[in-house]
Amino acid sequence: MKNIYPESSELHVTGKAVFVDDLQIGDNALSGLVYHSPVAHAEILSYDLEAAKNADGVKAIISCKDIPGKNQIGAIVHDEPILADGVVQCIGQAVFLIAAETPEAAHAARQLITVEYKELGAVLTIEDAMRKNMALDRTRKMECGNVEKSLAESPNRIEGTFRTGAQEHWYLETQISLCVPCDDGGYKVYSATQNPTETQISVAEALGIPQMKVEVEVRRIGGGFGGKETQACHPAVWAALLSHSTGQKVKLRLERQDDQIITGKRHPYLIKYRAGFDDKGMLSAVDVELNSNAGYATDLSLAVLERSMFHAENAYFVPNMRIRATAWRTNLPPNVAFRGFGAPQAMAAMENIMDRIAGKTGKDAAESRRLNFYSDDNRNLTPYGQTVTHNTLQMIYSRLIGSSEYFKRRREIDRFNSQNEFLKKGIALTPVKFGISFTTLFLNQAGALVNIYTDGSVLVNHGGTEMGQGLYAKIRQITADAFGLPPDVVKVSATSTSCVPNTSPTAASSGSDLNGQAVLNATEKLAKRIQAAVADEFNTTHKDAVSKADNIIFANGFVADRKHPERKFTFAEMARLMRLRQISLSATGFYRTPDIFYDRSEEKGSPFFYYVFGMSVSEVLVDVLTGQVTVLRSDILQDTGKPINKDIDIGQIEGGFVQGMGWCTSENCVWNSKGKLLNASPATYKIPGAADIPADFRTGIFTEASDSKVVKGSKAVGEPPFMLALSVWFAIKDAVSATAGHKREPDLQFPATNDAILVAIDKLRNSRS
Ligand code: MTE
Ligand code: MOS
């Protein structure tokens, strides 16, 4: 297949790409603004909106009393109000909505709103929530083998606690929606949502109108990363409520600071573990307890936690494993999906176990990891009973160890460290095994609509959304390939709930797997109709030999008889012929992932259609005096199958890795004791910049293990590379460890901010006997 650029890339670099905020139809729309709670948990004793309502340019100010439908926006568990009703449960929770002629007028009005709160005391951390018994749901428990017995019999044991921090999505386009009222009492919503159907449902339920009166359209999203899987519904509903009360179009875009304060983040985790292993470092038992900070409402926390459970062992065979998992309710905004969806937190803890084991046995950490990889028949069963097939871990390992010259560089690093007191280097290899499929089974479905026009051009609509991951380009290639056409005669139209209904969010890395298959289902239907009609046409015009429908092929812009190549039509001639013959040139497609199942009461099943694997080696330089880190080199080898678009996949791998680096190193959300996010701005919240990208960045793709059951033999690539960045954290830990000559174990916090590195070095020094 011909690689094409994502259609938006030229528009992005020339600044011509139209985002919701740029839509001309949004000109003269009213500005929506949210008044949100300044206290983390309180009863609302009284409020006064009069002054704000009378301010210049203000068109409406509404509270929960003005919601015509249900005051409820929780996607799965219905525990999240659209607007606070009597009580606020986190700082940033929406209480009132303002529509005004200008953003300035809306801001001025927001200042005039007065509310009297009675504070009820906030629970902010997992430990607090544990003490107060505030579990969001039951504790889930998955077990294989006999953990207690195996731990008791293990010659070596470690135990500990591992914490990971929150991460802000920091999509470049903040949450936004534009709502336009229609003459039939319905609404057209232009939204930056990963989940058009859920957005449509939320708006319909809030307004108390049928779903057919709400159309949600998504042309492109300026980054979602999971942050717009559920929480893009909120601005859509807010804009729609304001549109409903004013009768006008309303645009509601969260300004950056509001976005950071209001929206949920990657869940912070507190993980407790015990592990048993033999003298070679071979694991016999692992017991982990996963605890996540869910925030005040459920959102996707239970699904995120479930994916943590499925990835708690990462790439390692653990014969006896127990995983217990609980999400805890706190007075923070509901935490949400974020690239990796709970897997990164659990994997970080497991990798720390592996790193510590290597430290105890004195083995090289990469070697020690390899020893425990899933491998042959006796060592390929996950704790939940799915067999790990198409396993490429060993192959990727040997190739990457060779190409990165891991062992040679390890020796050079040791030499460097022995010669330098204030600069220390570290290196680490970490693997990733990631399961592909939504673990909420019914979501594994997709729909598509393919139209062929009489000039031979093709329009595709599907349920997936484009957020920069290149889905539209891949869909274009798949469609063009199905009809033997160049990609430029195929257009992927904006995603719309009116074209393809009842879709799943674009998430779980399965956008191209699911929507690609749905598109192929539609193109196959069209191809069948075309083949029959074209064969018939050939047989009426050529009397000598019979053309069979099965022999009609689509290639190089022609529809032709493989056996009689002189019998052919251009694709456009074919399209006109079909119209004359009164045959439909439009078809819907549908796909559901087969063969996956899971039993939550037994915690057993095969929830994933397949696994993808990857590995990375990172080398860092740490300045012992300042805690400054430079990533000198990262080598990646990612299992992509046969890529539909190699360049897009490499972009996904590198982008995911760098976003993961942010989570492992500089990105850290800090709340004060009242639950106020202190670093709600780019000045204080540090995402990686261009200078933080590995100085020497070598991204390779492993294409040999293609899987024919996945669309075009490709594999999902959106999330797995995120977790490859763990190699950076472990390389930093290795460098910190070098400050004590690798004789004592460092206690490094996650993320490894400059401060955390200095603290860890200091601790090592002070523990010197
Ligand atoms: N890449 C870009 N540029 N922007 C994004 O928002 N989201 C990631 C990943 N890559 C994202 C991205 C996440 S969280 C997921 S689940 C997948 O893309 C979703 O798209 P896909 O299923 O088509 O891979
Ligand atoms: Mo991605 S976190 O599944 O949107």
Side-chain angles (χ1 to χ4, degrees):
M1 245 182 289
K2 193 171 169 280
N3 257 11
I4 56 166
Y5 283 122
E7 35 258 73
S8 297
S9 50
E10 197 182 318
L11 299 177
H12 283 167
V13 293
T14 53
K16 288 185 186 144
V18 171
F19 292 86
V20 174
D21 207 19
D22 311 317
L23 286 167
Q24 285 186 9
I25 192 165
D27 293 353
N28 306 318
L30 296 177
S31 288
L33 191 71
V34 184
Y35 168 95
H36 48 86
S37 171
V39 286
H41 190 201
E43 196 185 323
I44 298 177
L45 296 178
S46 66
Y47 58 83
D48 185 354
L49 304 177
E50 280 317 299
K53 277 185 175 165
N54 293 327
D56 274 357
V58 173
K59 293 287 179 182
I61 298 189
I62 63 178
S63 72
C64 64
K65 297 200 181 80
D66 305 303
I67 299 173
K70 287 188 213 136
N71 182 18
Q72 192 306 107
I73 202 171
I76 298 166
V77 180
H78 295 175
D79 62 352
E80 192 177 347
I82 298 167
L83 294 174
D85 188 357
V87 51
V88 287
Q89 297 179 80
C90 72
I91 291 182
Q93 184 180 348
V95 187
F96 306 110
L97 299 170
I98 304 160
E101 280 163 357
T102 62
E104 293 75 18
H107 274 281
R110 183 160 82 171
Q111 299 286 339
L112 296 173
I113 293 177
T114 55
V115 184
E116 196 189 341
Y117 296 101
K118 182 180 153 211
E119 293 204 33
L120 299 173
V123 170
L124 301 170
T125 63
I126 295 170
E127 286 94 330
D128 267 3
M130 284 174 166
R131 272 192 293 274
K132 301 209 164 100
N133 250 329
M134 297 193 34
L136 191 64
D137 198 14
R138 71 183 170 98
T139 294
R140 284 179 62 177
K141 185 176 131 190
M142 177 189 287
E143 186 160 3
C144 69
N146 188 333
V147 172
E148 289 305 333
K149 180 165 175 282
S150 173
L151 274 174
E153 288 167 0
S154 285
N156 309 292
R157 277 184 293 272
I158 52 169
E159 60 175 67
T161 299
F162 196 80
R163 282 186 176 77
T164 60
Q167 185 180 22
E168 160 63 44
H169 299 81
W170 238 91
Y171 23 66
L172 284 180
E173 176 200 39
T174 53
Q175 302 275 7
I176 184 165
S177 250
L178 166 65
C179 183
V180 180
C182 308
D183 59 6
D184 63 351
Y187 296 87
K188 175 145 187 188
V189 180
Y190 299 88
S191 164
T193 176
Q194 290 175 244
N195 200 342
T197 288
E198 188 61 42
T199 305
Q200 176 196 26
I201 293 171
S202 303
V203 169
E205 288 186 352
L207 295 180
I209 57 175
Q211 291 171 21
M212 50 87 168
K213 286 204 173 179
V214 181
E215 178 185 358
V216 175
E217 182 179 307
V218 186
R219 174 59 193 89
R220 61 169 64 80
I221 305 169
F225 309 111
K228 295 171 182 171
E229 189 175 336
T230 48
Q231 294 206 348
C233 294
H234 300 54
V237 167
W238 295 331
L241 286 168
L242 289 169
S243 213
H244 168 80
S245 42
T246 59
Q248 296 188 46
K249 49 189 179 182
V250 174
K251 180 153 75 183
L252 196 145
R253 175 172 61 80
L254 295 185
E255 287 161 19
R256 180 63 66 184
Q257 196 177 4
D258 270 2
D259 191 300
Q260 285 194 247
I261 292 170
I262 292 173
T263 65
K265 330 228 164 282
R266 182 185 297 287
H267 295 72
Y269 270 54
L270 167 63
I271 300 168
K272 295 179 185 165
Y273 62 85
R274 294 184 297 157
F277 52 97
D278 70 12
D279 295 339
K280 291 201 203 88
M282 184 83 108
L283 284 165
S284 55
V286 174
D287 183 19
V288 283
E289 188 193 297
L290 306 166
N291 299 286
S292 73
N293 186 331
Y296 89 83
T298 307
D299 194 271
L300 295 176
S301 292
L302 299 176
V304 168
L305 190 70
E306 180 172 70
R307 184 167 282 272
S308 305
M309 296 177 78
F310 289 135
H311 291 81
E313 89 298 9
N314 192 14
Y316 308 104
F317 174 68
V318 189
N320 304 283
M321 186 155 188
R322 178 165 60 208
I323 301 153
R324 282 172 289 194
T326 317
W328 299 92
R329 199 187 284 277
T330 60
N331 294 110
L332 292 178
N335 285 318
V336 299
F338 197 148
R339 210 172 196 169
F341 208 78
Q345 295 92 324
M347 279 187 197
M350 184 64 197
E351 288 304 327
N352 199 46
I353 292 175
M354 300 313 290
D355 188 70
R356 292 193 61 197
I357 289 177
K360 300 278 180 208
T361 59
K363 244 204 173 91
D364 175 81
E367 258 297 308
S368 178
R369 283 179 161 91
R370 189 195 63 83
L371 186 71
N372 286 286
F373 284 163
Y374 279 110
S375 56
D376 57 21
D377 293 352
N378 296 322
R379 298 177 53 82
N380 64 2
L381 203 62
T382 61
Y384 46 94
Q386 176 157 0
T387 304
V388 179
T389 61
H390 298 76
N391 176 353
T392 55
L393 287 165
Q394 301 285 350
M395 276 187 281
I396 292 178
Y397 179 86
S398 22
R399 209 169 289 180
L400 190 65
I401 282 283
S403 65
S404 68
E405 300 183 290
Y406 174 87
F407 288 105
K408 178 171 156 245
R409 282 160 67 205
R410 150 91 44 222
R411 285 191 298 276
E412 285 166 7
I413 287 168
D414 287 343
R415 200 171 319 123
F416 177 92
N417 287 341
S418 68
Q419 291 162 359
N420 288 277
E421 189 182 351
F422 300 119
L423 291 172
K424 295 291 178 190
K425 287 185 180 178
I427 191 168
L429 171 145
T430 55
V432 169
K433 165 184 132 288
F434 195 78
I436 302 301
S437 290
F438 285 97
T439 61
T440 302
L441 283 196
F442 82 89
L443 291 176
N444 294 291
Q445 58 172 304
L449 172 69
V450 177
N451 297 338
I452 301 172
Y453 296 99
T454 52
D455 62 354
S457 64
V458 181
L459 185 75
V460 189
N461 198 288
H462 59 85
T465 55
E466 175 60 50
M467 60 192 107
Q469 87 280 36
L471 174 62
Y472 277 21
K474 287 184 177 178
I475 294 288
R476 231 169 118 205
Q477 282 178 256
I478 290 169
T479 313
D481 198 54
F483 291 130
L485 295 171
D488 54 353
V489 300
V490 178
K491 176 179 155 168
V492 180
S493 71
T495 308
S496 159
T497 53
S498 296
C499 296
V500 178
N502 312 324
T503 56
S504 295
T506 306
S509 304
S510 56
S512 45
D513 285 16
L514 299 175
N515 294 290
Q517 296 282 32
V519 166
L520 282 181
N521 178 245
T523 61
E524 277 157 20
K525 286 184 193 168
L526 286 166
K528 279 228 167 64
R529 285 181 214 157
I530 294 167
Q531 284 167 320
V534 166
D536 192 57
E537 181 70 17
F538 287 153
N539 290 337
T540 42
T541 48
H542 301 77
K543 298 287 178 207
D544 46 334
V546 178
S547 276
K548 286 194 187 140
D550 286 355
N551 288 331
I552 305 298
I553 54 164
F554 298 83
N556 307 317
F558 288 95
V559 184
D561 184 335
R562 192 159 52 89
K563 292 281 169 64
H564 306 281
E566 74 290 352
R567 300 180 183 179
K568 62 179 180 188
F569 292 119
T570 64
F571 198 74
E573 284 165 352
M574 174 281 295
R576 282 190 290 274
L577 175 75
M578 295 289 283
R579 183 140 196 267
L580 292 176
R581 284 179 155 251
Q582 297 168 296
I583 293 168
S584 165
L585 280 172
S586 174
T588 59
F590 187 78
Y591 176 75
R592 64 180 282 270
T593 310
D595 305 331
I596 49 178
F597 60 94
Y598 194 70
D599 179 345
R600 291 207 172 93
S601 58
E602 296 288 318
E603 299 287 4
K604 290 281 180 245
S606 280
F608 299 116
F609 197 39
Y610 64 100
Y611 294 103
V612 296
F613 306 90
M615 242 167 259
S616 67
V617 172
S618 291
E619 179 180 347
V620 302
L621 178 71
V622 170
D623 183 325
V624 172
L625 299 177
T626 62
Q628 177 101 14
V629 175
T630 312
V631 181
L632 298 173
R633 174 171 164 186
S634 288
D635 292 59
I636 294 174
L637 192 54
Q638 178 68 26
D639 175 20
T640 56
K642 245 170 56 197
I644 293 170
N645 187 314
K646 181 170 169 260
D647 297 333
I648 288 177
D649 285 3
I650 288 178
Q652 283 294 294
I653 296 166
E654 296 186 341
F657 183 87
V658 173
Q659 193 168 40
M661 274 178 51
W663 173 63
C664 293
T665 59
S666 62
E667 295 185 43
N668 199 9
C669 295
V670 182
W671 287 274
N672 71 9
S673 61
K674 291 278 193 183
K676 181 176 176 201
L677 182 64
L678 296 177
N679 52 349
S681 95
T684 45
Y685 183 84
K686 283 185 63 186
I687 60 170
D692 299 308
I693 293 168
D696 186 353
F697 202 3
R698 306 188 190 194
T699 304
I701 55 175
F702 186 87
T703 58
E704 285 106 299
S706 81
D707 197 334
S708 58
K709 63 187 186 194
V710 190
V711 67
K712 296 274 168 196
S714 70
K715 284 183 184 169
V717 73
E719 294 166 285
F722 181 94
M723 289 145 279
L724 292 175
L726 286 169
S727 62
V728 171
W729 191 85
F730 285 98
I732 295 172
K733 190 178 171 197
D734 187 47
V736 170
S737 166
T739 64
H742 297 294
K743 292 203 179 67
R744 288 183 302 279
E745 200 188 333
D747 176 14
L748 178 64
Q749 299 293 298
F750 194 106
T753 57
N754 297 354
D755 304 12
I757 290 168
L758 289 180
V759 169
I761 292 173
D762 199 50
K763 266 196 191 162
L764 268 186
R765 288 223 174 96
N766 292 333
S767 72
R768 195 169 291 167
S769 44

